[in-house]
Amino acid sequence: MKSWRIFAFADEACSMVDGQIVAMKRNGLDGIEIRNVDEVNISEITLEKAREVRKKLDDNGLVVWSIGSPIGKIDIERDDFKEHLETFRHTLEIADILGSGNLRLFSFYIPSGKNPGDYRNEVLDRLGRFCQIAEGSGICLCHENEKKIYGDTAERCRDIFLSLPQIRGVFDPANFVQCGQDTISAWKLLHPYIKYLHIKDARPDGSVVAAGRGDGNIAAILD
């Protein structure tokens, strides 16, 4: 039995869920990290729509590995966190209906020109609120490194994982490259905390390229 599984952001193949299912099966993938369905973000669909999507996936032998949510992709100063908490609660319900064991999230956009370290306590407090709400759900919260958020460097990602052990990591090599981080060093620092990898590559100029054609060191990390 293979020791690895491959899933995909199927909305990159088609905006409609029926087309996504066709793409997953055509490529022999194990399932989906679900992000947009029928041109609506996964965090915004109704619970009834989630049940409809679950039935279609079940009927085609596909599973949802992770909810590719936008949770935590808000400005830490300007945007309404209370409203965002309600979106999180709703997305957690969707994850349960879809049978997803994981929910991807982020650690908030830091205002341009500001020191991310100045927001550390607020970031950890907000992520801690997510952990409290998700407690007992059986759904693992997985933080992805993303450009311009608190956790856009390996060191600050590690700070999150040490401070909140309930949160695991999604390692995205391309995002680290775009932040000027060496991915081998980042992997050495973070691998004990990583739940899964994104197979995504980039060049130092920020352009995203096919896996193996950028500076993400993907083959070495997979080895």
Side-chain angles (χ1 to χ4, degrees), residues 84-185:
H84 202 59
L85 277 177
E86 294 308 308
T87 300
F88 175 71
R89 289 188 176 94
H90 179 69
T91 308
L92 204 61
E93 287 189 82
I94 290 169
D96 181 62
I97 291 170
L98 293 175
S100 175
N102 303 294
L103 189 153
R104 177 194 69 166
L105 46 66
F106 302 88
S107 52
F108 308 100
Y109 288 119
I110 304 301
S112 179
K114 298 289 185 72
N115 177 14
D118 293 341
Y119 296 88
R120 177 181 183 272
N121 291 341
E122 180 67 18
V123 167
L124 294 178
D125 180 67
R126 290 184 176 196
L127 292 176
R129 294 284 300 280
F130 292 148
C131 291
Q132 290 172 358
I133 293 169
E135 187 175 0
S137 68
I139 296 167
C140 180
L141 304 185
C142 301
H143 174 271
E144 178 185 339
N145 56 288
E146 169 69 38
K147 301 175 293 294
K148 300 181 181 180
I149 64 172
Y150 176 80
D152 62 357
T153 66
E155 291 77 13
R156 286 195 291 269
C157 286
R158 183 172 181 268
D159 180 34
I160 290 170
F161 303 139
L162 290 175
S163 301
L164 297 165
Q166 310 96 308
I167 296 179
R168 307 301 289 174
V170 182
F171 191 96
D172 189 309
N175 288 347
F176 275 134
V177 171
Q178 291 171 334
C179 291
Q181 291 260 287
D182 174 69
T183 57
I184 295 295
S185 298

Side-chain angles (χ1 to χ4, degrees), residues 16 18 37 44 48 56 84 96 99 109 208 217:
M16 307 303 286
D18 291 342
V37 291
E44 299 174 359
E48 181 181 5
K56 287 185 176 184
H84 202 59
D96 181 62
Y109 288 119
V208 175
N217 297 301

Side-chain angles (χ1 to χ4, degrees), residues 2-69:
K2 66 184 182 183
S3 60
W4 44 264
R5 290 177 291 171
I6 301 179
F7 304 88
F9 283 117
D11 58 355
E12 295 186 355
C14 184
S15 62
M16 307 303 286
V17 70
D18 291 342
Q20 294 176 22
I21 289 169
V22 170
M24 295 300 95
K25 296 177 72 174
R26 182 175 67 243
N27 286 280
L29 301 181
D30 296 288
I32 182 172
E33 180 162 5
I34 196 162
R35 184 170 54 188
N36 293 287
V37 291
D38 296 346
E39 302 181 328
V40 178
N41 185 269
I42 191 63
S43 67
E44 299 174 359
I45 68 172
T46 65
L47 301 185
E48 181 181 5
K49 178 67 174 181
R51 294 185 187 98
E52 174 191 319
V53 171
R54 174 65 185 270
K55 185 177 186 309
K56 287 185 176 184
L57 294 171
D58 286 349
D59 289 348
N60 285 276
L62 297 171
V63 300
V64 175
W65 163 254
S66 183
I67 303 297
S69 86

